[in-house]
Short mmCIF file of all heavy atoms in Angstrom, two decimals:
data_model
loop_
_atom_site.label_atom_id
_atom_site.label_comp_id
_atom_site.label_asym_id
_atom_site.label_seq_id
_atom_site.Cartn_x
_atom_site.Cartn_y
_atom_site.Cartn_z
N VAL A 6 -21.48 7.96 -12.49
CA VAL A 6 -20.20 8.25 -13.13
C VAL A 6 -19.94 7.35 -14.32
O VAL A 6 -19.43 7.78 -15.34
CB VAL A 6 -19.08 8.15 -12.04
CG1 VAL A 6 -17.70 8.16 -12.72
CG2 VAL A 6 -19.16 9.30 -11.05
N HIS A 7 -20.33 6.08 -14.16
CA HIS A 7 -20.06 5.15 -15.26
C HIS A 7 -21.04 5.31 -16.42
O HIS A 7 -20.86 4.73 -17.49
CB HIS A 7 -20.13 3.69 -14.75
CG HIS A 7 -18.88 3.25 -14.11
ND1 HIS A 7 -18.70 3.20 -12.72
CD2 HIS A 7 -17.69 2.87 -14.63
CE1 HIS A 7 -17.50 2.78 -12.46
NE2 HIS A 7 -16.84 2.58 -13.60
N GLU A 8 -22.09 6.12 -16.26
CA GLU A 8 -22.90 6.50 -17.42
C GLU A 8 -22.14 7.36 -18.42
O GLU A 8 -22.44 7.35 -19.60
CB GLU A 8 -24.14 7.29 -16.97
CG GLU A 8 -25.16 6.48 -16.20
CD GLU A 8 -26.33 7.32 -15.76
OE1 GLU A 8 -26.57 8.41 -16.37
OE2 GLU A 8 -27.02 6.96 -14.78
N VAL A 9 -21.13 8.05 -17.92
CA VAL A 9 -20.36 8.99 -18.75
C VAL A 9 -18.93 8.53 -19.04
O VAL A 9 -18.45 8.72 -20.13
CB VAL A 9 -20.33 10.38 -18.04
CG1 VAL A 9 -19.47 11.39 -18.83
CG2 VAL A 9 -21.72 10.90 -17.82
N LEU A 10 -18.33 7.89 -18.05
CA LEU A 10 -16.90 7.57 -18.11
C LEU A 10 -16.67 6.05 -17.96
O LEU A 10 -17.43 5.38 -17.29
CB LEU A 10 -16.13 8.28 -16.98
CG LEU A 10 -16.29 9.81 -16.89
CD1 LEU A 10 -15.71 10.30 -15.59
CD2 LEU A 10 -15.58 10.49 -18.10
N THR A 11 -15.63 5.57 -18.61
CA THR A 11 -15.18 4.22 -18.34
C THR A 11 -14.29 4.20 -17.09
O THR A 11 -13.78 5.25 -16.70
CB THR A 11 -14.41 3.67 -19.54
OG1 THR A 11 -13.25 4.52 -19.79
CG2 THR A 11 -15.26 3.64 -20.78
N GLU A 12 -14.12 3.04 -16.51
CA GLU A 12 -13.36 2.96 -15.25
C GLU A 12 -11.94 3.51 -15.39
O GLU A 12 -11.40 4.13 -14.48
CB GLU A 12 -13.31 1.50 -14.76
CG GLU A 12 -12.54 1.29 -13.47
CD GLU A 12 -13.11 1.99 -12.26
OE1 GLU A 12 -14.33 2.35 -12.27
OE2 GLU A 12 -12.36 2.18 -11.26
N ASP A 13 -11.33 3.32 -16.56
CA ASP A 13 -9.93 3.78 -16.70
C ASP A 13 -9.84 5.31 -16.88
O ASP A 13 -8.75 5.88 -16.89
CB ASP A 13 -9.24 3.08 -17.88
CG ASP A 13 -9.88 3.38 -19.23
OD1 ASP A 13 -10.94 4.02 -19.27
OD2 ASP A 13 -9.33 2.90 -20.26
N GLN A 14 -11.00 5.98 -16.95
CA GLN A 14 -11.00 7.48 -16.98
C GLN A 14 -11.23 8.04 -15.59
O GLN A 14 -11.15 9.26 -15.42
CB GLN A 14 -12.10 7.95 -17.89
CG GLN A 14 -11.96 7.67 -19.36
CD GLN A 14 -13.11 8.21 -20.17
OE1 GLN A 14 -14.22 7.63 -20.14
NE2 GLN A 14 -12.90 9.30 -20.89
N ILE A 15 -11.49 7.21 -14.59
CA ILE A 15 -11.90 7.65 -13.28
C ILE A 15 -10.72 7.56 -12.32
O ILE A 15 -10.12 6.46 -12.13
CB ILE A 15 -13.08 6.81 -12.74
CG1 ILE A 15 -14.27 6.91 -13.75
CG2 ILE A 15 -13.51 7.26 -11.35
CD1 ILE A 15 -15.38 5.89 -13.49
N TYR A 16 -10.39 8.66 -11.66
CA TYR A 16 -9.26 8.74 -10.73
C TYR A 16 -9.77 9.20 -9.37
O TYR A 16 -9.96 10.40 -9.13
CB TYR A 16 -8.19 9.69 -11.27
CG TYR A 16 -7.45 9.16 -12.48
CD1 TYR A 16 -8.09 9.05 -13.71
CD2 TYR A 16 -6.15 8.73 -12.39
CE1 TYR A 16 -7.46 8.50 -14.81
CE2 TYR A 16 -5.49 8.23 -13.48
CZ TYR A 16 -6.13 8.13 -14.69
OH TYR A 16 -5.49 7.60 -15.78
N ARG A 17 -10.06 8.23 -8.52
CA ARG A 17 -10.53 8.56 -7.17
C ARG A 17 -9.28 8.70 -6.28
O ARG A 17 -8.57 7.78 -6.01
CB ARG A 17 -11.40 7.40 -6.62
CG ARG A 17 -12.60 7.03 -7.52
CD ARG A 17 -13.28 5.79 -7.02
NE ARG A 17 -14.29 5.31 -7.99
CZ ARG A 17 -14.00 4.48 -8.99
NH1 ARG A 17 -12.75 4.05 -9.16
NH2 ARG A 17 -14.95 4.10 -9.84
N ILE A 18 -9.08 9.96 -5.84
CA ILE A 18 -7.82 10.29 -5.22
C ILE A 18 -7.83 10.03 -3.72
O ILE A 18 -8.83 10.23 -3.03
CB ILE A 18 -7.45 11.81 -5.49
CG1 ILE A 18 -5.98 12.04 -5.25
CG2 ILE A 18 -8.34 12.74 -4.68
CD1 ILE A 18 -5.51 13.40 -5.75
N ASP A 19 -6.72 9.51 -3.24
CA ASP A 19 -6.44 9.45 -1.81
C ASP A 19 -5.02 9.94 -1.62
O ASP A 19 -4.07 9.24 -1.93
CB ASP A 19 -6.59 8.02 -1.29
CG ASP A 19 -6.28 7.89 0.20
OD1 ASP A 19 -5.86 8.88 0.79
OD2 ASP A 19 -6.42 6.81 0.81
N HIS A 20 -4.91 11.21 -1.17
CA HIS A 20 -3.57 11.80 -1.14
C HIS A 20 -2.58 11.07 -0.24
O HIS A 20 -1.37 11.21 -0.39
CB HIS A 20 -3.65 13.30 -0.80
CG HIS A 20 -4.00 13.57 0.67
ND1 HIS A 20 -5.31 13.69 1.08
CD2 HIS A 20 -3.18 13.76 1.71
CE1 HIS A 20 -5.29 13.95 2.40
NE2 HIS A 20 -4.04 13.99 2.81
N PHE A 21 -3.10 10.26 0.71
CA PHE A 21 -2.16 9.50 1.54
C PHE A 21 -1.33 8.54 0.68
O PHE A 21 -0.16 8.28 1.01
CB PHE A 21 -2.96 8.69 2.61
CG PHE A 21 -3.06 9.38 3.91
CD1 PHE A 21 -3.54 10.67 4.00
CD2 PHE A 21 -2.70 8.76 5.10
CE1 PHE A 21 -3.65 11.34 5.21
CE2 PHE A 21 -2.79 9.40 6.32
CZ PHE A 21 -3.26 10.68 6.38
N LEU A 22 -1.90 8.01 -0.37
CA LEU A 22 -1.18 7.07 -1.26
C LEU A 22 -0.11 7.76 -2.06
O LEU A 22 0.75 7.08 -2.64
CB LEU A 22 -2.14 6.30 -2.13
CG LEU A 22 -3.22 5.47 -1.40
CD1 LEU A 22 -4.04 4.66 -2.39
CD2 LEU A 22 -2.60 4.60 -0.33
N GLY A 23 -0.14 9.07 -2.11
CA GLY A 23 0.90 9.81 -2.83
C GLY A 23 2.10 10.12 -1.95
O GLY A 23 3.10 10.64 -2.45
N LYS A 24 1.99 9.86 -0.66
CA LYS A 24 3.08 10.16 0.26
C LYS A 24 4.26 9.20 -0.01
O LYS A 24 4.11 7.99 -0.18
CB LYS A 24 2.64 10.08 1.68
CG LYS A 24 1.67 11.14 2.12
CD LYS A 24 1.26 10.96 3.58
CE LYS A 24 0.38 12.08 4.02
NZ LYS A 24 1.13 13.37 4.14
N GLU A 25 5.48 9.73 -0.01
CA GLU A 25 6.66 8.91 -0.24
C GLU A 25 6.76 7.78 0.77
O GLU A 25 7.11 6.64 0.39
CB GLU A 25 7.93 9.78 -0.21
CG GLU A 25 8.12 10.68 -1.39
CD GLU A 25 8.66 9.97 -2.59
OE1 GLU A 25 8.99 8.76 -2.48
OE2 GLU A 25 8.73 10.58 -3.67
N THR A 26 6.45 8.05 2.01
CA THR A 26 6.65 7.01 3.03
C THR A 26 5.63 5.87 2.85
O THR A 26 5.97 4.74 3.13
CB THR A 26 6.54 7.64 4.43
OG1 THR A 26 7.32 8.81 4.52
CG2 THR A 26 7.01 6.68 5.48
N VAL A 27 4.42 6.19 2.45
CA VAL A 27 3.44 5.14 2.21
C VAL A 27 3.94 4.29 1.08
O VAL A 27 3.92 3.01 1.15
CB VAL A 27 2.06 5.72 1.92
CG1 VAL A 27 1.07 4.62 1.51
CG2 VAL A 27 1.56 6.47 3.11
N GLN A 28 4.42 4.87 0.00
CA GLN A 28 4.94 4.05 -1.12
C GLN A 28 6.22 3.31 -0.72
O GLN A 28 6.47 2.19 -1.17
CB GLN A 28 5.25 4.98 -2.31
CG GLN A 28 4.03 5.64 -2.87
CD GLN A 28 4.39 6.77 -3.80
OE1 GLN A 28 5.02 6.53 -4.83
NE2 GLN A 28 4.05 7.99 -3.43
N ASN A 29 6.96 3.88 0.23
CA ASN A 29 8.22 3.25 0.67
C ASN A 29 7.92 1.96 1.48
O ASN A 29 8.80 1.12 1.66
CB ASN A 29 9.07 4.20 1.47
CG ASN A 29 10.50 3.78 1.51
OD1 ASN A 29 11.07 3.40 0.46
ND2 ASN A 29 11.14 3.83 2.63
N ILE A 30 6.68 1.79 1.96
CA ILE A 30 6.29 0.56 2.57
C ILE A 30 6.54 -0.60 1.64
O ILE A 30 7.07 -1.64 2.04
CB ILE A 30 4.81 0.60 3.01
CG1 ILE A 30 4.58 1.61 4.16
CG2 ILE A 30 4.33 -0.81 3.45
CD1 ILE A 30 3.13 1.88 4.44
N LEU A 31 6.19 -0.43 0.39
CA LEU A 31 6.35 -1.49 -0.64
C LEU A 31 7.82 -1.70 -0.87
O LEU A 31 8.28 -2.87 -0.94
CB LEU A 31 5.63 -1.12 -1.89
CG LEU A 31 4.14 -0.84 -1.76
CD1 LEU A 31 3.53 -0.52 -3.16
CD2 LEU A 31 3.40 -2.04 -1.18
N ALA A 32 8.60 -0.64 -1.08
CA ALA A 32 10.03 -0.79 -1.31
C ALA A 32 10.73 -1.46 -0.15
O ALA A 32 11.56 -2.33 -0.28
CB ALA A 32 10.65 0.57 -1.63
N PHE A 33 10.34 -1.02 1.07
CA PHE A 33 10.99 -1.55 2.29
C PHE A 33 10.73 -3.06 2.41
O PHE A 33 11.63 -3.81 2.72
CB PHE A 33 10.38 -0.78 3.49
CG PHE A 33 11.06 -1.10 4.79
CD1 PHE A 33 12.24 -0.46 5.10
CD2 PHE A 33 10.50 -1.99 5.69
CE1 PHE A 33 12.89 -0.72 6.30
CE2 PHE A 33 11.13 -2.25 6.91
CZ PHE A 33 12.30 -1.62 7.21
N ARG A 34 9.50 -3.47 2.13
CA ARG A 34 9.15 -4.89 2.22
C ARG A 34 9.80 -5.72 1.14
O ARG A 34 10.47 -6.72 1.43
CB ARG A 34 7.62 -5.05 2.16
CG ARG A 34 6.85 -4.76 3.37
CD ARG A 34 5.40 -5.10 3.13
NE ARG A 34 5.18 -6.53 2.89
CZ ARG A 34 4.03 -7.12 2.58
NH1 ARG A 34 2.97 -6.35 2.50
NH2 ARG A 34 3.93 -8.41 2.37
N PHE A 35 9.57 -5.33 -0.11
CA PHE A 35 9.86 -6.21 -1.22
C PHE A 35 11.24 -6.06 -1.84
O PHE A 35 11.62 -6.89 -2.66
CB PHE A 35 8.77 -6.03 -2.28
CG PHE A 35 7.38 -6.30 -1.79
CD1 PHE A 35 6.35 -5.37 -1.99
CD2 PHE A 35 7.08 -7.46 -1.09
CE1 PHE A 35 5.05 -5.62 -1.53
CE2 PHE A 35 5.77 -7.71 -0.60
CZ PHE A 35 4.81 -6.79 -0.84
N ALA A 36 11.98 -5.01 -1.44
CA ALA A 36 13.31 -4.83 -1.98
C ALA A 36 14.39 -5.26 -0.99
O ALA A 36 15.58 -5.21 -1.32
CB ALA A 36 13.53 -3.38 -2.41
N ASN A 37 14.00 -5.68 0.20
CA ASN A 37 14.95 -6.01 1.27
C ASN A 37 14.63 -7.37 1.83
O ASN A 37 13.63 -7.56 2.50
CB ASN A 37 14.93 -4.94 2.38
CG ASN A 37 15.32 -3.57 1.90
OD1 ASN A 37 16.47 -3.33 1.56
ND2 ASN A 37 14.35 -2.65 1.78
N GLY A 38 15.51 -8.33 1.54
CA GLY A 38 15.28 -9.69 1.95
C GLY A 38 15.23 -9.90 3.43
O GLY A 38 14.72 -10.95 3.89
N MET A 39 15.72 -8.97 4.24
CA MET A 39 15.71 -9.16 5.68
C MET A 39 14.37 -8.91 6.31
O MET A 39 14.10 -9.30 7.46
CB MET A 39 16.76 -8.25 6.35
CG MET A 39 16.41 -6.76 6.29
SD MET A 39 17.70 -5.71 6.99
CE MET A 39 18.85 -5.62 5.59
N PHE A 40 13.45 -8.22 5.59
CA PHE A 40 12.16 -7.84 6.22
C PHE A 40 11.00 -8.70 5.77
O PHE A 40 10.14 -9.06 6.57
CB PHE A 40 11.87 -6.37 5.95
CG PHE A 40 12.87 -5.44 6.53
CD1 PHE A 40 13.72 -4.68 5.74
CD2 PHE A 40 13.03 -5.35 7.91
CE1 PHE A 40 14.65 -3.84 6.28
CE2 PHE A 40 13.97 -4.49 8.48
CZ PHE A 40 14.80 -3.75 7.65
N GLU A 41 10.88 -9.03 4.48
CA GLU A 41 9.72 -9.71 4.01
C GLU A 41 9.49 -11.08 4.74
O GLU A 41 8.37 -11.43 5.03
CB GLU A 41 9.79 -9.96 2.51
CG GLU A 41 8.70 -10.82 1.88
CD GLU A 41 7.30 -10.27 2.22
OE1 GLU A 41 7.14 -9.06 2.41
OE2 GLU A 41 6.38 -11.11 2.24
N PRO A 42 10.54 -11.84 5.06
CA PRO A 42 10.28 -13.14 5.75
C PRO A 42 9.65 -12.97 7.11
O PRO A 42 9.01 -13.94 7.61
CB PRO A 42 11.70 -13.75 5.86
CG PRO A 42 12.47 -13.13 4.78
CD PRO A 42 11.95 -11.72 4.65
N ILE A 43 9.77 -11.85 7.76
CA ILE A 43 9.19 -11.67 9.12
C ILE A 43 7.93 -10.85 9.06
O ILE A 43 7.36 -10.46 10.10
CB ILE A 43 10.22 -11.05 10.09
CG1 ILE A 43 10.65 -9.65 9.61
CG2 ILE A 43 11.39 -11.97 10.26
CD1 ILE A 43 11.48 -8.91 10.64
N TRP A 44 7.45 -10.52 7.86
CA TRP A 44 6.28 -9.63 7.67
C TRP A 44 5.00 -10.44 7.74
O TRP A 44 4.27 -10.57 6.79
CB TRP A 44 6.39 -8.91 6.37
CG TRP A 44 5.71 -7.55 6.27
CD1 TRP A 44 4.41 -7.32 5.96
CD2 TRP A 44 6.29 -6.26 6.51
NE1 TRP A 44 4.12 -5.98 5.97
CE2 TRP A 44 5.26 -5.28 6.31
CE3 TRP A 44 7.56 -5.84 6.84
CZ2 TRP A 44 5.52 -3.92 6.42
CZ3 TRP A 44 7.79 -4.49 6.95
CH2 TRP A 44 6.76 -3.53 6.72
N ASN A 45 4.70 -11.01 8.95
CA ASN A 45 3.54 -11.86 9.11
C ASN A 45 3.18 -12.00 10.56
O ASN A 45 3.92 -11.54 11.44
CB ASN A 45 3.74 -13.23 8.44
CG ASN A 45 5.00 -13.88 8.98
OD1 ASN A 45 5.12 -14.18 10.18
ND2 ASN A 45 5.98 -14.12 8.13
N ARG A 46 2.12 -12.71 10.85
CA ARG A 46 1.58 -12.85 12.23
C ARG A 46 2.52 -13.68 13.10
O ARG A 46 2.42 -13.59 14.32
CB ARG A 46 0.19 -13.49 12.17
CG ARG A 46 0.20 -14.90 11.58
CD ARG A 46 -1.25 -15.43 11.44
NE ARG A 46 -1.30 -16.73 10.79
CZ ARG A 46 -1.15 -17.89 11.42
NH1 ARG A 46 -0.98 -17.90 12.73
NH2 ARG A 46 -1.21 -19.03 10.79
N ASP A 47 3.37 -14.48 12.53
CA ASP A 47 4.31 -15.26 13.35
C ASP A 47 5.32 -14.43 14.05
O ASP A 47 5.83 -14.83 15.09
CB ASP A 47 5.00 -16.34 12.45
CG ASP A 47 4.07 -17.37 11.93
OD1 ASP A 47 3.03 -17.63 12.59
OD2 ASP A 47 4.34 -17.94 10.83
N HIS A 48 5.66 -13.30 13.47
CA HIS A 48 6.72 -12.46 14.02
C HIS A 48 6.21 -11.09 14.50
O HIS A 48 6.86 -10.42 15.27
CB HIS A 48 7.80 -12.23 12.96
CG HIS A 48 8.47 -13.48 12.51
ND1 HIS A 48 9.47 -14.11 13.26
CD2 HIS A 48 8.24 -14.27 11.43
CE1 HIS A 48 9.85 -15.21 12.63
NE2 HIS A 48 9.14 -15.33 11.51
N ILE A 49 5.04 -10.67 14.02
CA ILE A 49 4.49 -9.36 14.41
C ILE A 49 3.32 -9.58 15.33
O ILE A 49 2.39 -10.35 15.07
CB ILE A 49 4.05 -8.57 13.16
CG1 ILE A 49 5.26 -8.33 12.26
CG2 ILE A 49 3.41 -7.24 13.54
CD1 ILE A 49 4.91 -7.67 10.91
N ASP A 50 3.33 -8.85 16.46
CA ASP A 50 2.27 -8.96 17.45
C ASP A 50 1.02 -8.17 17.02
O ASP A 50 -0.10 -8.63 17.17
CB ASP A 50 2.74 -8.44 18.81
CG ASP A 50 1.68 -8.48 19.86
OD1 ASP A 50 1.37 -9.55 20.39
OD2 ASP A 50 1.09 -7.37 20.13
N HIS A 51 1.25 -6.98 16.51
CA HIS A 51 0.16 -6.15 16.02
C HIS A 51 0.72 -5.03 15.20
O HIS A 51 1.94 -4.74 15.25
CB HIS A 51 -0.71 -5.59 17.17
CG HIS A 51 -0.02 -4.59 18.02
ND1 HIS A 51 0.87 -4.90 19.01
CD2 HIS A 51 -0.09 -3.23 18.05
CE1 HIS A 51 1.35 -3.81 19.60
NE2 HIS A 51 0.76 -2.78 19.02
N VAL A 52 -0.15 -4.34 14.46
CA VAL A 52 0.24 -3.18 13.66
C VAL A 52 -0.63 -2.00 14.08
O VAL A 52 -1.85 -2.14 14.29
CB VAL A 52 0.08 -3.46 12.14
CG1 VAL A 52 0.28 -2.20 11.33
CG2 VAL A 52 0.99 -4.58 11.69
N GLN A 53 -0.03 -0.83 14.21
CA GLN A 53 -0.76 0.41 14.46
C GLN A 53 -0.61 1.37 13.30
O GLN A 53 0.48 1.56 12.77
CB GLN A 53 -0.26 1.06 15.75
CG GLN A 53 -0.42 0.26 17.02
CD GLN A 53 0.09 0.98 18.24
OE1 GLN A 53 0.14 2.22 18.29
NE2 GLN A 53 0.53 0.23 19.27
#
């Protein structure tokens, strides 16, 4: 692929990343001060 295209021309799609809820993970974490401080191994037992 790189014989023909530069990296900025290449769009490897993962439609899961286009889902609103997946993107909202970032908004939920970083726009709300009540959640980011507990977003770590000290407060979370595991993630599924």
Side-chain angles (χ1 to χ4, degrees):
V6 168
H7 278 102
E8 290 178 23
V9 177
L10 305 169
T11 59
E12 179 65 19
D13 63 355
Q14 294 179 286
I15 301 167
Y16 289 71
R17 304 173 190 87
I18 197 169
D19 179 354
H20 71 272
F21 266 53
L22 299 187
K24 291 179 176 291
E25 287 282 354
T26 312
V27 174
Q28 297 166 63
N29 202 43
I30 292 169
L31 303 181
F33 188 80
R34 281 185 63 184
F35 301 130
N37 297 290
M39 70 183 81
F40 297 114
E41 176 55 27
I43 61 172
W44 207 274
N45 55 61
R46 62 186 176 87
D47 293 332
H48 300 279
I49 298 173
D50 177 79
H51 69 281
V52 174
Q53 296 180 27

